[in-house]
Amino acid sequence: MNLGLGQTIGGRYKIIRQLGQGGFGQTFVAEDQHLPGENQCVVKQLKPVATDPLTLQTARRLFDTEAQILHQLGSHEQIPQLFAYFEENKDFYLVQELIEGEDLSQELVPGQQLNEDQIISLLKEILEVLEFVHQRRIIHRDINPQNILRRKSDGKLVLIDFGAVKQVSTQILEGGNTGFTVAIGTPGYRPSEQANGYPKLSSDIYAVGMIGIVGLTGLRPHQLPLHPDTGEISWHNQISVSAELTDT
């Protein structure tokens, strides 16, 4: 179903405003009416294209698995908590912690170069959160500046919008065809194996490295030159940094 402002789902989550919309459904800010005060959260709606019993059964199994993963990851203070997940009127819903803050695209401004110390500090914090994720053999699949928030309350970075959810929603959209290989991620921040639909743990590390290069050079990924022989991104001659950072 199409959600509207003021509508309540799950018997308790009242829709306040829309955050975004994509092929898989919509994202909203909602208020939990079962708790006192203004307890706001994020509601993600996943809409299957097909609603036949077999598709819904497959979607339900995938959704349950991914929700369990998100619940596990939410134990880290720099990953949003999963509050609830449920099915209603053949749509699937995730309810997550609302993170107040701005994403890294506000800090990585085109034409502005961050210094080496700033980039090292930034990368270390992202990698510390990612280490927690990778220890659980989970690939984020879509690390880019817009999926990393600077939390307003304490200034810490928060990793959001796990690609696992996109994986489920794409498979739901494809009618539950679990054999379908889909390329998830943001162009410029995903390596070739991920673009071909085969992400690895190292694919996330590549994306983090791209964030560092974008911050150092002040260039967007598509503006970076490619080496004529290897086709790899050639960024070292754009700036002057220490050999230790370049080799990392």
Side-chain angles (χ1 to χ4, degrees):
M1 65 177 180
N2 293 320
L3 294 180
L5 300 185
Q7 193 170 340
T8 298
I9 57 169
R12 64 187 291 180
Y13 302 106
K14 182 179 179 180
I15 302 300
I16 304 298
R17 59 186 169 91
Q18 185 169 337
L19 271 180
Q21 184 167 356
F24 64 87
Q26 298 171 292
T27 305
F28 301 89
V29 174
E31 193 173 281
D32 188 344
Q33 297 182 300
H34 283 196
L35 295 174
E38 294 184 1
N39 284 277
Q40 294 191 346
C41 51
V42 172
V43 172
K44 295 185 177 182
Q45 178 193 40
L46 310 179
K47 295 179 69 68
V49 170
T51 56
D52 61 278
L54 181 59
T55 297
L56 284 176
Q57 180 182 355
T58 303
R60 193 175 293 119
R61 176 175 52 80
L62 289 165
F63 184 65
D64 286 348
T65 300
E66 300 298 354
Q68 289 169 20
I69 290 172
L70 291 174
H71 183 258
Q72 178 188 11
L73 292 176
S75 63
H76 194 287
E77 65 159 354
Q78 288 167 272
I79 297 174
Q81 292 182 51
L82 179 69
F83 294 145
Y85 69 101
F86 56 92
E87 180 183 345
E88 190 172 287
N89 296 323
K90 298 182 179 179
D91 289 339
F92 298 86
Y93 296 91
L94 294 168
V95 183
Q96 290 182 289
E97 176 186 4
L98 174 65
I99 305 297
E100 297 284 1
E102 294 187 330
D103 65 53
L104 277 188
S105 66
Q106 305 301 310
E107 299 179 27
L108 304 177
V109 181
Q112 294 184 16
Q113 298 179 349
L114 300 183
N115 65 45
E116 190 169 323
D117 289 341
Q118 289 174 306
I119 290 297
I120 290 173
S121 175
L122 185 71
L123 296 184
K124 281 180 66 176
E125 187 171 359
I126 298 171
L127 288 170
E128 284 169 2
V129 182
L130 197 56
E131 182 181 20
F132 172 85
V133 176
H134 284 182
Q135 282 174 347
R136 284 145 186 82
R137 310 302 296 173
I138 296 166
I139 310 170
H140 182 282
R141 295 186 179 96
D142 197 11
I143 291 178
N144 69 77
Q146 292 184 321
N147 281 341
I148 301 171
L149 300 182
R150 177 79 68 184
R151 189 160 51 202
K152 188 186 298 183
S153 60
D154 59 8
K156 290 187 176 181
L157 298 179
V158 179
L159 187 57
I160 67 167
D161 208 12
F162 279 73
V165 177
K166 296 186 185 71
Q167 178 93 20
V168 172
S169 53
T170 304
Q171 289 175 328
I172 290 173
L173 286 171
E174 291 296 325
N177 178 11
T178 54
F180 182 82
T181 301
V182 60
I184 292 171
T186 300
Y189 292 92
R190 65 186 183 198
S192 56
E193 77 274 0
Q194 185 170 328
N196 291 327
Y198 300 98
K200 305 174 183 177
L201 293 174
S202 58
S203 304
D204 284 346
I205 304 299
Y206 176 95
V208 175
M210 281 303 305
I211 289 175
I213 292 170
V214 165
L216 284 169
T217 62
L219 300 173
R220 304 297 88 185
H222 70 273
Q223 296 175 315
L224 292 163
L226 301 179
H227 192 282
D229 296 327
T230 64
E232 297 292 328
I233 289 169
S234 180
W235 61 275
H236 305 86
N237 59 351
Q238 303 291 317
I239 46 166
S240 177
V241 296
S242 68
E244 289 82 4
L245 181 59
T246 301
D247 293 341
T248 303

